[in-house]
Amino acid sequence: MSDLNKLPELTSDYELTKEQIQEFQEKGHIKLSQVASSEEVGVYRSIIGEKVKELNYHNKPIEERDTYGKAFIQVSNIWEKSAEIQRFVFARRFAKIAAELLGVDGVRIYHDQALFKEPGGGITPWHQDQIYWPVDTDNFITMWMPLVPVSEEVGSMNFANGSHKFGYISKLAISDESQKTLSQYIEAKGLEVENYGALEAGDATWHYGWTLHSAPGNPTNTMREVMTVIYYADDAKVIEPDTNARKTDLQKWLPGLAPGDLAASKLNPILYKKNV
């Protein structure tokens, strides 16, 4: 185990402009450069990578998996498994950006996800994250940060500009069906699709829970190593789950809570509060 005191603190402020906040709220996504420095990311990358390797649940080669399985190695709430990774996931700097982009005073963590797309990994189909989340706020945001440089071939995610304004578009989980149906929706609505292309380690994209997004496959011979953290407004409440996916999420990420409760289980501490 590393000496926690020697790890980068990630507590300093990242200054956002009014224009950046407006851009995020209008388009539903934004790229911010060097949210963490290459030096800061480098320290945490090896710790996160080792834990992902340890917790990887895939036991079949890529070509034998379904579309979801081909998309990435996914390890959630990795912060619970490591005090060092918790320091990264709970970083005040990241949480403050989340609150300011959303325009709220405070944010809680919903959960984190390490999303490692293997060489030869497939696409991540079009979807909305928030179809999985039984919480009563539109103020959900995901930080998506590569831990390694990502080439133009792989790129960032694809975002459908303004799609968050349509709210709950479809209950389709990530699948071939969601790829087909939501591609047709984007075309029918005439929504512009944007990809930020190559990213440096420590750059980050941010998107609303309702923003339609997908990701290209990985045609390179290197792993696309990404860490994500999902945040939401700290005053949000639990709603009655309307799908099995939301029932599962309620039990897993909001344990012990019921509809109407403040969405504040032991797994959802406040990570940033203005003036505190």
Side-chain angles (χ1 to χ4, degrees), residues 58-219:
H58 284 305
N59 56 13
K60 293 180 180 178
I62 286 179
E63 56 271 16
E64 293 179 22
R65 302 179 205 159
D66 63 11
T67 299
Y68 193 94
K70 289 175 182 174
F72 36 59
I73 300 168
Q74 179 181 37
V75 181
S76 302
N77 259 28
I78 198 169
W79 70 261
E80 289 189 273
K81 315 290 195 305
S82 160
E84 296 98 328
I85 296 173
Q86 179 178 330
R87 189 181 179 110
F88 179 87
V89 171
F90 281 23
R92 178 186 178 277
R93 183 191 303 163
F94 305 159
K96 183 172 185 279
I97 293 171
E100 291 180 347
L101 287 174
L102 290 173
V104 300
D105 287 342
V107 291
R108 298 181 184 275
I109 183 173
Y110 188 59
H111 63 76
D112 67 39
Q113 289 181 324
L115 298 174
F116 282 32
K117 193 178 286 282
E118 299 152 282
I123 68 163
T124 307
W126 283 106
H127 64 284
Q128 291 178 297
D129 294 334
Q130 200 154 336
I131 68 164
Y132 295 96
W133 305 336
V135 184
D136 73 347
T137 182
D138 293 334
N139 286 319
F140 258 100
I141 188 171
T142 297
M143 179 187 79
W144 190 95
M145 179 182 286
L147 306 177
V148 294
V150 176
S151 70
E152 191 80 32
E153 290 176 278
V154 180
S156 74
M157 289 182 289
N158 305 310
F159 299 101
N161 288 349
S163 55
H164 63 298
K165 296 175 183 177
F166 299 103
Y168 204 150
I169 293 169
S170 167
K171 293 182 180 180
L172 288 173
I174 300 172
S175 60
D176 293 332
E177 190 179 358
S178 76
Q179 175 69 13
K180 179 183 176 182
T181 301
L182 294 173
S183 291
Q184 292 170 343
Y185 179 90
I186 290 164
E187 188 175 347
K189 287 284 189 183
L191 300 177
E192 181 185 355
V193 174
E194 189 168 353
N195 186 301
Y196 293 107
L199 298 172
E200 294 300 320
D203 289 348
T205 65
W206 303 75
H207 64 274
Y208 275 111
W210 289 126
T211 301
L212 283 168
H213 59 288
S214 64
N218 181 3

